């Protein structure tokens, strides 16, 4: 079983930056493929970025060049560095992994507004 706890969401001005963190329980974090999803009000949850256990990454077109996903296996922590934030990035951001079952964090709110 895996527990995921996100943090770092905040109110940010357009053009600003924010870093999200996701702390994972357990000792097998380094073996897990991880992902960030987001859900804006009235919209479906969408995939933002993925990182494999070998640190291969992929991004949604909407965030490519602005967001960076990374991981620190020594700290069992997943990160999402978000730069050049836009109002349309406003959403609840979720950390996700799959280990037989789907595991989601509780989400952290990012609001981009002046």
């Amino acid at each position: 079983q895996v527990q995921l706890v996100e943090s770092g969401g905040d109110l940010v001005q357009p053009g600003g930056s924010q870093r999200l963190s996701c702390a994972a329980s357990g000792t097998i974090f380094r073996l897990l493929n991880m992902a960030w999803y987001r859900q804006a009000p009235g919209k479906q949850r969408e995939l933002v970025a993925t990182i494999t256990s070998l640190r291969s990454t992929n991004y949604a077109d909407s965030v490519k060049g602005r967001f960076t996903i990374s991981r620190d296996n020594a700290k069992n922590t997943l990160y999402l560095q978000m730069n050049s934030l836009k109002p349309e990035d406003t959403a609840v951001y979720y950390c996700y992994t799959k280990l037989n079952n789907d595991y989601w964090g509780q989400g952290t709110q990012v609001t981009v507004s002046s």
Side-chain angles (χ1 to χ4, degrees), residues 47-73:
L47 180 63
V48 175
T50 63
I51 185 167
T52 70
S53 59
L54 299 179
R55 303 180 187 273
S56 176
T57 59
N58 272 293
Y59 298 91
D61 287 344
S62 59
V63 307
K64 204 170 292 184
R66 300 188 297 121
F67 289 13
T68 302
I69 188 172
S70 62
R71 63 193 301 158
D72 185 336
N73 290 339

Side-chain angles (χ1 to χ4, degrees), residues 7-10 12-13 15-21 36-38 48 59 63 65-69 79-86 89-93 108-112:
S7 62
D10 206 346
V12 186
Q13 289 194 338
S17 297
Q18 192 70 8
R19 188 176 80 161
L20 305 182
S21 300
W36 286 100
Y37 282 77
R38 68 185 180 186
V48 175
Y59 298 91
V63 307
R66 300 188 297 121
F67 289 13
T68 302
I69 188 172
Y79 300 102
L80 185 68
Q81 177 66 44
M82 305 183 294
N83 298 328
S84 302
L85 282 161
K86 304 175 181 180
D89 295 318
T90 294
V92 178
Y93 284 73
T108 186
Q109 175 71 48
V110 174
T111 302
V112 184

Side-chain angles (χ1 to χ4, degrees), residues 2-9 19-26 29 32-37 51 69-81 93-97 103-108:
V2 180
Q3 290 186 323
L4 303 172
V5 180
E6 301 97 335
S7 62
R19 188 176 80 161
L20 305 182
S21 300
C22 171
S25 65
F29 175 76
L32 298 175
N33 297 329
M34 303 293 300
W36 286 100
Y37 282 77
I51 185 167
I69 188 172
S70 62
R71 63 193 301 158
D72 185 336
N73 290 339
K75 295 182 179 180
N76 278 13
T77 302
L78 177 72
Y79 300 102
L80 185 68
Q81 177 66 44
Y93 284 73
Y94 297 91
C95 179
Y96 166 84
T97 192
Y103 292 95
W104 296 92
Q106 83 288 352
T108 186

